[in-house]
Amino acid sequence: MDIDEISRLKYRYLRTLDTKQWGEFEACFVPEATADYNGLVFEDRAALVTYMRENLGLGVVTMHQVHHPEITVDGDTATGRWYLEDRVIVEEFRFMLEGAAFYEDRYVRTPDGWRVSHTGYRRTYEMTWSLDDLPGLTLTGPGEHTHR
């Protein structure tokens, strides 16, 4: 049961990040949560959420998927390792990033359920390119009609 709840927490973290539901994203963490995304470090939840809100807002399309979870529960704490595949597209800057990494997470059981106490990843690869290098590329965002 704990592993299932931790898995749903991780999926909720990714869903709310990609859909920019910042209140729900914030609720995935304890207030003192830390993060280290390949050297991009945050000392608490407020700093992390503020950064994401300001830098991954409208106009930034993201996709984060994790799989191959390795979760270990020890009483009211747990650790998790996840394989990440992600993509970031910023049409305004004609920029695309694609990469993979391994997340290393720590979790704590709270009265409201499991929450992230630390998250972060180390890249296995990252590649970037200009959208101008993709002739014929069409990008549609959330809620846009995609059937022509």
mmCIF file of all heavy atoms in Angstrom, residues 64-107:
data_model
loop_
_atom_site.group_PDB
_atom_site.id
_atom_site.type_symbol
_atom_site.label_atom_id
_atom_site.label_comp_id
_atom_site.label_asym_id
_atom_site.label_seq_id
_atom_site.Cartn_x
_atom_site.Cartn_y
_atom_site.Cartn_z
ATOM 1 N N HIS A 64 7.201 15.211 -18.591
ATOM 2 C CA HIS A 64 8.046 14.432 -17.684
ATOM 3 C C HIS A 64 7.380 13.075 -17.471
ATOM 4 O O HIS A 64 6.219 13.017 -17.072
ATOM 5 C CB HIS A 64 8.184 15.136 -16.336
ATOM 6 C CG HIS A 64 8.906 16.440 -16.418
ATOM 7 N ND1 HIS A 64 8.280 17.608 -16.744
ATOM 8 C CD2 HIS A 64 10.211 16.730 -16.214
ATOM 9 C CE1 HIS A 64 9.172 18.588 -16.739
ATOM 10 N NE2 HIS A 64 10.348 18.082 -16.417
ATOM 11 N N GLN A 65 8.116 12.025 -17.733
ATOM 12 C CA GLN A 65 7.621 10.671 -17.501
ATOM 13 C C GLN A 65 8.659 9.905 -16.694
ATOM 14 O O GLN A 65 9.860 10.024 -16.965
ATOM 15 C CB GLN A 65 7.373 9.941 -18.823
ATOM 16 C CG GLN A 65 6.310 10.590 -19.671
ATOM 17 C CD GLN A 65 6.107 9.855 -20.988
ATOM 18 O OE1 GLN A 65 6.974 9.123 -21.462
ATOM 19 N NE2 GLN A 65 4.949 10.052 -21.583
ATOM 20 N N VAL A 66 8.189 9.141 -15.707
ATOM 21 C CA VAL A 66 9.090 8.292 -14.936
ATOM 22 C C VAL A 66 8.603 6.853 -14.996
ATOM 23 O O VAL A 66 7.417 6.581 -15.169
ATOM 24 C CB VAL A 66 9.224 8.736 -13.458
ATOM 25 C CG1 VAL A 66 9.926 10.074 -13.357
ATOM 26 C CG2 VAL A 66 7.889 8.764 -12.756
ATOM 27 N N HIS A 67 9.553 5.965 -14.871
ATOM 28 C CA HIS A 67 9.241 4.537 -14.862
ATOM 29 C C HIS A 67 10.355 3.798 -14.134
ATOM 30 O O HIS A 67 11.294 4.424 -13.643
ATOM 31 C CB HIS A 67 9.040 4.007 -16.292
ATOM 32 C CG HIS A 67 10.089 4.444 -17.258
ATOM 33 N ND1 HIS A 67 11.282 3.800 -17.406
ATOM 34 C CD2 HIS A 67 10.129 5.507 -18.104
ATOM 35 C CE1 HIS A 67 12.010 4.398 -18.323
ATOM 36 N NE2 HIS A 67 11.343 5.449 -18.763
ATOM 37 N N HIS A 68 10.225 2.508 -14.048
ATOM 38 C CA HIS A 68 11.193 1.647 -13.365
ATOM 39 C C HIS A 68 11.433 2.075 -11.908
ATOM 40 O O HIS A 68 12.569 2.277 -11.489
ATOM 41 C CB HIS A 68 12.527 1.608 -14.116
ATOM 42 C CG HIS A 68 12.444 0.946 -15.450
ATOM 43 N ND1 HIS A 68 11.944 1.589 -16.555
ATOM 44 C CD2 HIS A 68 12.780 -0.299 -15.848
ATOM 45 C CE1 HIS A 68 11.981 0.785 -17.581
ATOM 46 N NE2 HIS A 68 12.479 -0.377 -17.182
ATOM 47 N N PRO A 69 10.359 2.232 -11.114
ATOM 48 C CA PRO A 69 10.559 2.678 -9.733
ATOM 49 C C PRO A 69 11.258 1.615 -8.879
ATOM 50 O O PRO A 69 11.004 0.429 -9.020
ATOM 51 C CB PRO A 69 9.133 2.919 -9.228
ATOM 52 C CG PRO A 69 8.285 2.022 -10.067
ATOM 53 C CD PRO A 69 8.947 1.981 -11.419
ATOM 54 N N GLU A 70 12.137 2.111 -8.016
ATOM 55 C CA GLU A 70 12.771 1.288 -6.989
ATOM 56 C C GLU A 70 12.484 2.001 -5.671
ATOM 57 O O GLU A 70 13.152 2.978 -5.336
ATOM 58 C CB GLU A 70 14.267 1.187 -7.223
ATOM 59 C CG GLU A 70 14.648 0.568 -8.553
ATOM 60 C CD GLU A 70 16.138 0.653 -8.822
ATOM 61 O OE1 GLU A 70 16.930 0.244 -7.924
ATOM 62 O OE2 GLU A 70 16.509 1.160 -9.883
ATOM 63 N N ILE A 71 11.483 1.536 -4.934
ATOM 64 C CA ILE A 71 11.018 2.210 -3.724
ATOM 65 C C ILE A 71 11.272 1.312 -2.529
ATOM 66 O O ILE A 71 10.931 0.131 -2.546
ATOM 67 C CB ILE A 71 9.515 2.550 -3.831
ATOM 68 C CG1 ILE A 71 9.279 3.480 -5.024
ATOM 69 C CG2 ILE A 71 9.011 3.182 -2.539
ATOM 70 C CD1 ILE A 71 7.815 3.664 -5.379
ATOM 71 N N THR A 72 11.863 1.898 -1.481
ATOM 72 C CA THR A 72 12.101 1.182 -0.233
ATOM 73 C C THR A 72 11.456 1.967 0.895
ATOM 74 O O THR A 72 11.744 3.152 1.081
ATOM 75 C CB THR A 72 13.620 1.049 0.033
ATOM 76 O OG1 THR A 72 14.216 0.380 -1.082
ATOM 77 C CG2 THR A 72 13.876 0.271 1.304
ATOM 78 N N VAL A 73 10.584 1.299 1.643
ATOM 79 C CA VAL A 73 9.890 1.926 2.767
ATOM 80 C C VAL A 73 10.525 1.432 4.058
ATOM 81 O O VAL A 73 10.764 0.228 4.229
ATOM 82 C CB VAL A 73 8.379 1.590 2.741
ATOM 83 C CG1 VAL A 73 7.675 2.180 3.946
ATOM 84 C CG2 VAL A 73 7.740 2.077 1.444
ATOM 85 N N ASP A 74 10.779 2.387 4.965
ATOM 86 C CA ASP A 74 11.329 2.066 6.283
ATOM 87 C C ASP A 74 10.523 2.852 7.312
ATOM 88 O O ASP A 74 10.860 3.990 7.632
ATOM 89 C CB ASP A 74 12.811 2.434 6.339
ATOM 90 C CG ASP A 74 13.459 2.045 7.664
ATOM 91 O OD1 ASP A 74 12.829 1.287 8.447
ATOM 92 O OD2 ASP A 74 14.580 2.504 7.919
ATOM 93 N N GLY A 75 9.433 2.266 7.773
ATOM 94 C CA GLY A 75 8.560 2.945 8.739
ATOM 95 C C GLY A 75 7.883 4.147 8.113
ATOM 96 O O GLY A 75 7.121 3.999 7.158
ATOM 97 N N ASP A 76 8.179 5.332 8.635
ATOM 98 C CA ASP A 76 7.551 6.557 8.137
ATOM 99 C C ASP A 76 8.426 7.336 7.169
ATOM 100 O O ASP A 76 8.156 8.501 6.875
ATOM 101 C CB ASP A 76 7.165 7.461 9.317
ATOM 102 C CG ASP A 76 5.999 6.883 10.108
ATOM 103 O OD1 ASP A 76 5.231 6.088 9.539
ATOM 104 O OD2 ASP A 76 5.866 7.232 11.295
ATOM 105 N N THR A 77 9.486 6.699 6.678
ATOM 106 C CA THR A 77 10.316 7.308 5.649
ATOM 107 C C THR A 77 10.488 6.314 4.510
ATOM 108 O O THR A 77 10.278 5.101 4.683
ATOM 109 C CB THR A 77 11.703 7.728 6.183
ATOM 110 O OG1 THR A 77 12.401 6.560 6.616
ATOM 111 C CG2 THR A 77 11.582 8.739 7.324
ATOM 112 N N ALA A 78 10.871 6.839 3.362
ATOM 113 C CA ALA A 78 11.073 5.971 2.201
ATOM 114 C C ALA A 78 12.040 6.656 1.239
ATOM 115 O O ALA A 78 12.235 7.876 1.290
ATOM 116 C CB ALA A 78 9.749 5.684 1.501
ATOM 117 N N THR A 79 12.631 5.838 0.379
ATOM 118 C CA THR A 79 13.463 6.350 -0.701
ATOM 119 C C THR A 79 12.921 5.816 -2.010
ATOM 120 O O THR A 79 12.265 4.762 -2.044
ATOM 121 C CB THR A 79 14.937 5.931 -0.545
ATOM 122 O OG1 THR A 79 15.002 4.496 -0.527
ATOM 123 C CG2 THR A 79 15.543 6.508 0.720
ATOM 124 N N GLY A 80 13.190 6.545 -3.067
ATOM 125 C CA GLY A 80 12.756 6.100 -4.383
ATOM 126 C C GLY A 80 13.752 6.496 -5.446
ATOM 127 O O GLY A 80 14.339 7.576 -5.386
ATOM 128 N N ARG A 81 13.946 5.611 -6.386
ATOM 129 C CA ARG A 81 14.749 5.899 -7.572
ATOM 130 C C ARG A 81 13.830 5.665 -8.769
ATOM 131 O O ARG A 81 13.115 4.666 -8.834
ATOM 132 C CB ARG A 81 15.960 4.974 -7.647
ATOM 133 C CG ARG A 81 16.820 5.230 -8.878
ATOM 134 C CD ARG A 81 18.047 4.332 -8.932
ATOM 135 N NE ARG A 81 18.935 4.636 -7.816
ATOM 136 C CZ ARG A 81 19.337 3.738 -6.929
ATOM 137 N NH1 ARG A 81 18.924 2.489 -6.978
ATOM 138 N NH2 ARG A 81 20.163 4.080 -5.949
ATOM 139 N N TRP A 82 13.839 6.619 -9.698
ATOM 140 C CA TRP A 82 12.980 6.573 -10.874
ATOM 141 C C TRP A 82 13.790 6.930 -12.112
ATOM 142 O O TRP A 82 14.637 7.825 -12.062
ATOM 143 C CB TRP A 82 11.867 7.610 -10.761
ATOM 144 C CG TRP A 82 10.999 7.495 -9.563
ATOM 145 C CD1 TRP A 82 11.249 7.987 -8.308
ATOM 146 C CD2 TRP A 82 9.722 6.888 -9.496
ATOM 147 N NE1 TRP A 82 10.203 7.707 -7.484
ATOM 148 C CE2 TRP A 82 9.248 7.033 -8.183
ATOM 149 C CE3 TRP A 82 8.922 6.227 -10.430
ATOM 150 C CZ2 TRP A 82 8.016 6.549 -7.771
ATOM 151 C CZ3 TRP A 82 7.691 5.748 -10.027
ATOM 152 C CH2 TRP A 82 7.252 5.902 -8.709
ATOM 153 N N TYR A 83 13.492 6.299 -13.220
ATOM 154 C CA TYR A 83 14.113 6.661 -14.488
ATOM 155 C C TYR A 83 13.230 7.717 -15.147
ATOM 156 O O TYR A 83 12.043 7.493 -15.377
ATOM 157 C CB TYR A 83 14.227 5.428 -15.393
ATOM 158 C CG TYR A 83 15.228 5.566 -16.510
ATOM 159 C CD1 TYR A 83 15.948 4.463 -16.947
ATOM 160 C CD2 TYR A 83 15.460 6.773 -17.143
ATOM 161 C CE1 TYR A 83 16.870 4.562 -17.971
ATOM 162 C CE2 TYR A 83 16.375 6.889 -18.166
ATOM 163 C CZ TYR A 83 17.075 5.782 -18.581
ATOM 164 O OH TYR A 83 17.986 5.886 -19.599
ATOM 165 N N LEU A 84 13.807 8.873 -15.440
ATOM 166 C CA LEU A 84 13.091 10.009 -16.015
ATOM 167 C C LEU A 84 13.393 10.146 -17.497
ATOM 168 O O LEU A 84 14.544 10.032 -17.915
ATOM 169 C CB LEU A 84 13.517 11.308 -15.315
ATOM 170 C CG LEU A 84 13.124 12.626 -15.996
ATOM 171 C CD1 LEU A 84 11.620 12.865 -15.900
ATOM 172 C CD2 LEU A 84 13.905 13.787 -15.397
ATOM 173 N N GLU A 85 12.350 10.421 -18.277
ATOM 174 C CA GLU A 85 12.469 10.907 -19.647
ATOM 175 C C GLU A 85 11.716 12.222 -19.689
ATOM 176 O O GLU A 85 10.579 12.296 -19.218
ATOM 177 C CB GLU A 85 11.835 9.941 -20.636
ATOM 178 C CG GLU A 85 12.524 8.602 -20.736
ATOM 179 C CD GLU A 85 11.811 7.696 -21.715
ATOM 180 O OE1 GLU A 85 12.138 7.737 -22.910
ATOM 181 O OE2 GLU A 85 10.909 6.971 -21.267
ATOM 182 N N ASP A 86 12.350 13.272 -20.245
ATOM 183 C CA ASP A 86 11.678 14.568 -20.264
ATOM 184 C C ASP A 86 11.950 15.331 -21.541
ATOM 185 O O ASP A 86 12.910 15.040 -22.270
ATOM 186 C CB ASP A 86 12.043 15.405 -19.038
ATOM 187 C CG ASP A 86 13.505 15.807 -18.979
ATOM 188 O OD1 ASP A 86 14.360 15.055 -19.488
ATOM 189 O OD2 ASP A 86 13.807 16.864 -18.412
ATOM 190 N N ARG A 87 11.070 16.291 -21.778
ATOM 191 C CA ARG A 87 11.187 17.184 -22.919
ATOM 192 C C ARG A 87 10.693 18.552 -22.492
ATOM 193 O O ARG A 87 9.694 18.659 -21.765
ATOM 194 C CB ARG A 87 10.354 16.657 -24.079
ATOM 195 C CG ARG A 87 10.470 17.511 -25.333
ATOM 196 C CD ARG A 87 9.830 16.870 -26.520
ATOM 197 N NE ARG A 87 10.629 15.681 -26.850
ATOM 198 C CZ ARG A 87 10.167 14.651 -27.551
ATOM 199 N NH1 ARG A 87 8.932 14.640 -27.985
ATOM 200 N NH2 ARG A 87 10.939 13.621 -27.816
ATOM 201 N N VAL A 88 11.379 19.588 -22.946
ATOM 202 C CA VAL A 88 10.989 20.973 -22.693
ATOM 203 C C VAL A 88 11.018 21.695 -24.035
ATOM 204 O O VAL A 88 12.028 21.613 -24.754
ATOM 205 C CB VAL A 88 11.950 21.658 -21.696
ATOM 206 C CG1 VAL A 88 11.556 23.126 -21.500
ATOM 207 C CG2 VAL A 88 11.977 20.913 -20.368
ATOM 208 N N ILE A 89 9.928 22.392 -24.353
ATOM 209 C CA ILE A 89 9.830 23.135 -25.609
ATOM 210 C C ILE A 89 9.445 24.568 -25.280
ATOM 211 O O ILE A 89 8.456 24.798 -24.580
ATOM 212 C CB ILE A 89 8.773 22.526 -26.550
ATOM 213 C CG1 ILE A 89 9.040 21.031 -26.769
ATOM 214 C CG2 ILE A 89 8.730 23.283 -27.882
ATOM 215 C CD1 ILE A 89 7.892 20.287 -27.431
ATOM 216 N N VAL A 90 10.236 25.512 -25.795
ATOM 217 C CA VAL A 90 9.954 26.933 -25.591
ATOM 218 C C VAL A 90 9.901 27.572 -26.985
ATOM 219 O O VAL A 90 10.934 27.957 -27.543
ATOM 220 C CB VAL A 90 11.005 27.625 -24.709
ATOM 221 C CG1 VAL A 90 10.561 29.051 -24.378
ATOM 222 C CG2 VAL A 90 11.257 26.826 -23.435
ATOM 223 N N GLU A 91 8.700 27.640 -27.527
ATOM 224 C CA GLU A 91 8.546 28.125 -28.902
ATOM 225 C C GLU A 91 9.058 29.558 -29.057
ATOM 226 O O GLU A 91 9.679 29.896 -30.069
ATOM 227 C CB GLU A 91 7.090 28.024 -29.343
ATOM 228 C CG GLU A 91 6.908 28.283 -30.828
ATOM 229 C CD GLU A 91 5.526 27.931 -31.324
ATOM 230 O OE1 GLU A 91 4.564 27.983 -30.526
ATOM 231 O OE2 GLU A 91 5.423 27.622 -32.516
ATOM 232 N N GLU A 92 8.831 30.404 -28.062
ATOM 233 C CA GLU A 92 9.268 31.801 -28.133
ATOM 234 C C GLU A 92 10.770 31.908 -28.407
ATOM 235 O O GLU A 92 11.218 32.802 -29.138
ATOM 236 C CB GLU A 92 8.931 32.522 -26.828
ATOM 237 C CG GLU A 92 9.400 33.957 -26.784
ATOM 238 C CD GLU A 92 9.106 34.652 -25.466
ATOM 239 O OE1 GLU A 92 8.568 34.009 -24.531
ATOM 240 O OE2 GLU A 92 9.411 35.849 -25.366
ATOM 241 N N PHE A 93 11.551 30.996 -27.855
ATOM 242 C CA PHE A 93 13.001 31.016 -28.055
ATOM 243 C C PHE A 93 13.454 29.978 -29.080
ATOM 244 O O PHE A 93 14.665 29.784 -29.251
ATOM 245 C CB PHE A 93 13.727 30.803 -26.725
ATOM 246 C CG PHE A 93 13.443 31.871 -25.718
ATOM 247 C CD1 PHE A 93 12.750 31.583 -24.555
ATOM 248 C CD2 PHE A 93 13.836 33.186 -25.950
ATOM 249 C CE1 PHE A 93 12.471 32.574 -23.620
ATOM 250 C CE2 PHE A 93 13.566 34.185 -25.028
ATOM 251 C CZ PHE A 93 12.874 33.885 -23.862
ATOM 252 N N ARG A 94 12.480 29.289 -29.719
ATOM 253 C CA ARG A 94 12.765 28.280 -30.753
ATOM 254 C C ARG A 94 13.695 27.197 -30.193
ATOM 255 O O ARG A 94 14.635 26.759 -30.830
ATOM 256 C CB ARG A 94 13.376 28.930 -31.997
ATOM 257 C CG ARG A 94 12.610 30.116 -32.551
ATOM 258 C CD ARG A 94 11.206 29.812 -32.998
ATOM 259 N NE ARG A 94 11.214 28.858 -34.106
ATOM 260 C CZ ARG A 94 10.212 28.023 -34.364
ATOM 261 N NH1 ARG A 94 9.141 28.042 -33.609
ATOM 262 N NH2 ARG A 94 10.275 27.198 -35.366
ATOM 263 N N PHE A 95 13.390 26.735 -28.975
ATOM 264 C CA PHE A 95 14.270 25.868 -28.206
ATOM 265 C C PHE A 95 13.562 24.577 -27.832
ATOM 266 O O PHE A 95 12.388 24.584 -27.446
ATOM 267 C CB PHE A 95 14.692 26.600 -26.933
ATOM 268 C CG PHE A 95 15.433 25.746 -25.941
ATOM 269 C CD1 PHE A 95 16.793 25.539 -26.065
ATOM 270 C CD2 PHE A 95 14.768 25.153 -24.877
ATOM 271 C CE1 PHE A 95 17.487 24.766 -25.142
ATOM 272 C CE2 PHE A 95 15.441 24.366 -23.953
ATOM 273 C CZ PHE A 95 16.804 24.174 -24.090
ATOM 274 N N MET A 96 14.305 23.457 -27.921
ATOM 275 C CA MET A 96 13.794 22.180 -27.436
ATOM 276 C C MET A 96 14.920 21.446 -26.720
ATOM 277 O O MET A 96 16.066 21.471 -27.150
ATOM 278 C CB MET A 96 13.255 21.312 -28.563
ATOM 279 C CG MET A 96 12.649 20.005 -28.055
ATOM 280 S SD MET A 96 12.026 18.905 -29.357
ATOM 281 C CE MET A 96 10.695 19.848 -30.040
ATOM 282 N N LEU A 97 14.559 20.821 -25.615
ATOM 283 C CA LEU A 97 15.475 20.000 -24.831
ATOM 284 C C LEU A 97 14.835 18.634 -24.668
ATOM 285 O O LEU A 97 13.623 18.530 -24.456
ATOM 286 C CB LEU A 97 15.695 20.630 -23.453
ATOM 287 C CG LEU A 97 16.485 19.841 -22.420
ATOM 288 C CD1 LEU A 97 17.207 20.804 -21.500
ATOM 289 C CD2 LEU A 97 15.630 18.884 -21.616
ATOM 290 N N GLU A 98 15.648 17.610 -24.778
ATOM 291 C CA GLU A 98 15.203 16.252 -24.492
ATOM 292 C C GLU A 98 16.285 15.586 -23.669
ATOM 293 O O GLU A 98 17.478 15.817 -23.906
ATOM 294 C CB GLU A 98 14.986 15.487 -25.801
ATOM 295 C CG GLU A 98 14.473 14.089 -25.611
ATOM 296 C CD GLU A 98 14.194 13.418 -26.947
ATOM 297 O OE1 GLU A 98 13.422 13.967 -27.746
ATOM 298 O OE2 GLU A 98 14.779 12.345 -27.174
ATOM 299 N N GLY A 99 15.875 14.796 -22.690
ATOM 300 C CA GLY A 99 16.889 14.157 -21.873
ATOM 301 C C GLY A 99 16.356 12.996 -21.067
ATOM 302 O O GLY A 99 15.184 12.639 -21.133
ATOM 303 N N ALA A 100 17.268 12.439 -20.297
ATOM 304 C CA ALA A 100 16.946 11.352 -19.378
ATOM 305 C C ALA A 100 17.810 11.518 -18.138
ATOM 306 O O ALA A 100 18.858 12.168 -18.172
ATOM 307 C CB ALA A 100 17.194 9.994 -20.025
ATOM 308 N N ALA A 101 17.327 10.958 -17.043
ATOM 309 C CA ALA A 101 18.037 11.077 -15.770
ATOM 310 C C ALA A 101 17.514 10.017 -14.816
ATOM 311 O O ALA A 101 16.494 9.370 -15.084
ATOM 312 C CB ALA A 101 17.824 12.473 -15.176
ATOM 313 N N PHE A 102 18.196 9.888 -13.697
ATOM 314 C CA PHE A 102 17.696 9.071 -12.599
ATOM 315 C C PHE A 102 17.382 9.973 -11.426
ATOM 316 O O PHE A 102 18.259 10.682 -10.922
ATOM 317 C CB PHE A 102 18.719 8.005 -12.182
ATOM 318 C CG PHE A 102 18.778 6.863 -13.147
ATOM 319 C CD1 PHE A 102 19.763 6.822 -14.120
ATOM 320 C CD2 PHE A 102 17.832 5.857 -13.098
ATOM 321 C CE1 PHE A 102 19.819 5.785 -15.029
ATOM 322 C CE2 PHE A 102 17.869 4.803 -14.008
ATOM 323 C CZ PHE A 102 18.873 4.773 -14.981
ATOM 324 N N TYR A 103 16.102 9.980 -11.025
ATOM 325 C CA TYR A 103 15.671 10.679 -9.815
ATOM 326 C C TYR A 103 16.118 9.881 -8.599
ATOM 327 O O TYR A 103 16.052 8.646 -8.593
ATOM 328 C CB TYR A 103 14.147 10.749 -9.753
ATOM 329 C CG TYR A 103 13.507 11.981 -10.309
ATOM 330 C CD1 TYR A 103 12.896 11.960 -11.552
ATOM 331 C CD2 TYR A 103 13.470 13.166 -9.574
ATOM 332 C CE1 TYR A 103 12.262 13.085 -12.061
ATOM 333 C CE2 TYR A 103 12.845 14.295 -10.070
ATOM 334 C CZ TYR A 103 12.245 14.251 -11.314
ATOM 335 O OH TYR A 103 11.629 15.362 -11.806
ATOM 336 N N GLU A 104 16.496 10.585 -7.547
ATOM 337 C CA GLU A 104 16.750 10.016 -6.217
ATOM 338 C C GLU A 104 15.887 10.822 -5.255
ATOM 339 O O GLU A 104 16.147 12.006 -5.038
ATOM 340 C CB GLU A 104 18.224 10.135 -5.834
ATOM 341 C CG GLU A 104 19.174 9.372 -6.730
ATOM 342 C CD GLU A 104 19.199 7.880 -6.448
ATOM 343 O OE1 GLU A 104 18.737 7.448 -5.360
ATOM 344 O OE2 GLU A 104 19.688 7.138 -7.321
ATOM 345 N N ASP A 105 14.841 10.216 -4.733
ATOM 346 C CA ASP A 105 13.880 10.905 -3.878
ATOM 347 C C ASP A 105 13.892 10.354 -2.464
ATOM 348 O O ASP A 105 14.212 9.183 -2.243
ATOM 349 C CB ASP A 105 12.451 10.732 -4.420
ATOM 350 C CG ASP A 105 12.212 11.431 -5.736
ATOM 351 O OD1 ASP A 105 13.036 12.286 -6.131
ATOM 352 O OD2 ASP A 105 11.193 11.130 -6.379
ATOM 353 N N ARG A 106 13.479 11.219 -1.524
ATOM 354 C CA ARG A 106 13.196 10.798 -0.157
ATOM 355 C C ARG A 106 11.769 11.250 0.166
ATOM 356 O O ARG A 106 11.339 12.335 -0.253
ATOM 357 C CB ARG A 106 14.192 11.409 0.826
ATOM 358 C CG ARG A 106 15.593 10.870 0.659
ATOM 359 C CD ARG A 106 16.543 11.292 1.774
ATOM 360 N NE ARG A 106 16.665 12.723 1.927
ATOM 361 C CZ ARG A 106 17.563 13.473 1.296
ATOM 362 N NH1 ARG A 106 18.406 12.938 0.434
ATOM 363 N NH2 ARG A 106 17.613 14.782 1.516
ATOM 364 N N TYR A 107 11.079 10.428 0.909
ATOM 365 C CA TYR A 107 9.684 10.688 1.252
ATOM 366 C C TYR A 107 9.491 10.554 2.754
ATOM 367 O O TYR A 107 10.225 9.825 3.420
ATOM 368 C CB TYR A 107 8.749 9.683 0.550
ATOM 369 C CG TYR A 107 9.002 9.555 -0.927
ATOM 370 C CD1 TYR A 107 9.804 8.538 -1.428
ATOM 371 C CD2 TYR A 107 8.452 10.465 -1.826
ATOM 372 C CE1 TYR A 107 10.046 8.418 -2.788
ATOM 373 C CE2 TYR A 107 8.690 10.349 -3.185
ATOM 374 C CZ TYR A 107 9.485 9.327 -3.656
ATOM 375 O OH TYR A 107 9.725 9.211 -4.999
#
